[in-house]
Amino acid sequence: MTNSQLTPGIAAGRLGAEDYARNFDDIAPRYDGHEARVAADRCYFCHDAPCMTACPTSIDIPLFIRQIATGTPEAAAKTIFSQNILGGMCARVCPTEQLCEEVCVREVAEGKPVEIGRLQRFATDTLMEKGVHPFARASATGKRIAVVGAGPAGLSAAHRLAMKGHDVTIFDPRPKAGGLNEYGIASYKTPGGFAQAEVDWLLKIGGIAVQNGKALGSGLTLEGLKADHDAVVLAIGLAGVNALRAEGEDLKNVLSAVDFIAELRQQPDKAKLPIGRDVVVIGGGMTAVDAAVQSKLLGAENVTIVYRRGQERMSASSHEQEHAASVGVRIIHNAAPVRVVGNGAAQEVEFAYTEDSADGLKQKDETFRLKADQVMKAIGQTLTGAPEGLKIEGGKIAVTGTGRTSVTGVWAAGDCASGGEDLTVTAVAEGRDAAEDIHASLS
């Protein structure tokens, strides 16, 4: 007997093959050439473009859109990549509705922005599919740089350093490079193995070696890296997961949403991945939304996101919240987990209603329960594995300027570094800027 959405407990194969294929297909297919030119024609090509100011990597957006409009998407791609070497991934996952498109003059005047993200994807895909790399290395400097972490910040730093003529080695604990681009993004946003294709394309610059299965504290030390290299970039991300601090958190089928997304990303046959009938996701950010939406797409009957504060405090964009609702995910605000109930495995989660007050978040006496045979924690990640001797600030590696840490010769970038937002595009900018500072200090 086959499984279905009504099968109790944790089960694989809840849907048919056609359902899985449709659910995990590309959510926003790229423009064709005609569509891209029509979309580009809506741009006013502003002189003091607010979209450029809103972009963390400061891409010259009016220029690349004009290049698309004049039939030169490869030139547009080079304009993008000169500022954001991971522009292909950012075109897919960047919250453009909160950044460049939110301040687009068309959005302000008409309520419909130029679709900058989709135009960026059209340009970058066009060039990448030709298999060529738009940049060449400078003359060799003889300098050696270590980059710890092969996520967006590490890859961005490595590429810019290699382009300057330095020899770079990236160390990463996982079997594949890419970091959150490979392991932490909803599958329907980057289908078809794009994350690895982008890494392979980026490495065409030359001068970058990747060593997998290497992590600080497990075969690597900061002292050793400093002794063997002229500079070190720490781009180790946030590997720890915050605890619920609720009774029953250790019951079976209470898991990290990050781990769930990573497992799903690495599973080519989605029918083989088991999912609960009643799934509860606790949190209010993009990880919570991605986990909840994908639970629904895998065939869970009831999926609920529960967030302890009001809707306006959710870090997931309104666009992503609306997408979750459109696939049948329910979102409950102002409720905090009190305990997970079950006999060995999760069966329900008890929540207390909350309210914001002058003294902070307060729990009310009134509670309610939700059925849950699977509970996912998406309440933020924490820094782990930071080397001793580094100054830590606000739970992250303290940096000044363009990523300089408290230890001479060591830079930090991306989610592990203080300041900035935990976005792919921000990590790319920080890695790029740290690389520029390293190059200046070594020249």
Side-chain angles (χ1 to χ4, degrees):
M1 183 176 177
T2 59
N3 291 319
S4 73
Q5 288 185 297
L6 301 180
T7 303
I10 313 295
R14 290 182 178 274
L15 304 175
E18 291 183 358
D19 295 315
Y20 286 115
R22 181 177 60 254
N23 288 351
F24 289 95
D25 196 8
D26 198 335
I27 191 173
R30 59 179 282 186
Y31 283 136
D32 63 28
H34 175 71
E35 291 171 328
R37 287 189 294 273
V38 170
D41 281 342
R42 295 189 65 244
C43 182
Y44 287 132
F45 310 116
C46 306
H47 173 64
D48 296 318
C51 55
M52 279 187 64
T53 304
C55 175
T57 53
S58 302
I59 293 171
D60 191 336
I61 294 170
L63 174 59
F64 94 68
I65 294 179
R66 185 182 293 275
Q67 289 168 322
I68 291 174
T70 55
T72 55
E74 294 86 354
K78 189 167 183 179
T79 297
I80 295 162
F81 288 133
S82 66
Q83 290 295 100
N84 181 347
I85 198 59
L86 297 178
M89 180 62 76
C90 288
R92 290 160 164 81
V93 305
C94 192
T96 53
E97 67 278 354
Q98 290 182 313
L99 297 171
C100 54
E101 292 177 12
E102 183 179 57
V103 298
C104 174
V105 174
R106 285 280 194 180
E107 167 66 19
V108 175
E110 304 170 10
K112 184 179 179 182
V114 175
E115 293 188 278
I116 298 168
R118 296 190 70 185
L119 286 167
Q120 179 168 314
R121 175 174 173 179
F122 170 75
T124 54
D125 282 9
T126 298
L127 180 60
M128 290 176 68
E129 286 173 1
K130 293 182 179 297
V132 298
H133 198 82
F135 306 109
R137 294 192 73 198
S139 300
T141 64
K143 302 295 185 181
R144 301 173 66 238
I145 317 295
V147 176
V148 186
L155 290 169
S156 175
H159 182 274
R160 185 57 62 104
L161 288 164
M163 194 167 68
K164 299 290 188 182
H166 308 301
D167 291 321
V168 183
T169 302
I170 303 177
F171 302 93
D172 194 85
R174 287 179 148 164
K176 296 180 182 179
L180 286 179
N181 286 358
E182 173 60 39
Y183 293 96
I185 292 171
S187 295
Y188 56 83
K189 294 178 181 178
T190 59
F194 178 78
Q196 283 309 295
E198 185 177 50
V199 171
D200 293 341
W201 175 85
L202 179 148
L203 294 177
K204 287 180 183 291
I205 186 69
I208 304 173
V210 180
Q211 294 189 22
N212 298 103
K214 298 287 184 70
L216 287 170
S218 179
L220 292 179
T221 65
L222 183 58
E223 293 76 11
L225 291 172
K226 287 186 63 183
D228 294 337
H229 299 84
D230 296 287
V232 178
V233 180
L234 299 179
I236 57 178
L238 301 174
V241 177
N242 287 328
L244 284 181
R245 296 187 177 87
E247 181 185 341
E249 182 178 359
D250 296 328
L251 287 173
K252 186 179 178 182
N253 298 329
V254 179
L255 63 151
S256 159
V258 172
D259 291 344
F260 166 74
I261 293 170
E263 183 180 2
L264 192 153
R265 287 275 299 172
Q266 300 307 304
Q267 175 54 264
D269 184 356
K270 302 298 186 273
K272 293 182 178 179
L273 193 66
I275 194 71
R277 178 179 178 178
D278 299 292
V279 177
V280 172
V281 181
I282 301 171
M286 282 304 309
T287 299
V289 170
D290 282 355
V293 168
Q294 292 185 111
S295 296
K296 193 69 177 175
L297 298 182
L298 285 170
E301 182 185 20
N302 302 302
V303 180
T304 307
I305 295 174
V306 185
Y307 179 55
R308 61 184 180 144
R309 299 186 185 275
Q311 181 179 7
E312 71 284 353
R313 300 289 295 274
M314 288 183 71
S315 57
S317 69
S318 56
H319 172 79
E320 293 291 342
Q321 293 179 49
E322 289 166 6
H323 175 61
S326 73
V327 300
V329 174
R330 179 170 60 149
I331 303 178
I332 297 176
H333 303 100
N334 295 111
V338 175
R339 62 178 177 141
V340 182
V341 181
N343 184 15
Q347 295 175 316
E348 293 180 317
V349 185
E350 183 176 345
F351 293 90
Y353 288 106
T354 65
E355 63 178 348
D356 278 310
S357 68
D359 300 321
L361 192 71
K362 288 188 176 181
Q363 288 189 6
K364 299 180 180 180
D365 293 333
E366 186 180 0
T367 64
F368 65 94
R369 289 189 180 189
L370 293 176
K371 288 177 63 178
D373 43 34
Q374 203 166 33
V375 181
M376 299 186 191
K377 300 181 290 184
I379 51 176
Q381 294 174 265
T382 57
L383 179 68
T384 60
E388 293 185 7
L390 287 172
K391 181 181 178 183
I392 305 298
E393 183 178 87
K396 295 188 176 185
I397 299 172
V399 296
T400 58
T402 50
R404 297 192 181 200
T405 72
S406 58
V407 176
T408 302
V410 180
W411 282 253
D415 292 353
C416 70
S418 61
E421 299 180 47
D422 295 340
L423 297 172
T424 297
V425 66
T426 304
V428 171
E430 291 177 357
R432 177 201 66 196
D433 294 345
E436 290 286 357
D437 193 42
I438 291 170
H439 176 68
S441 69
L442 295 178
S443 299

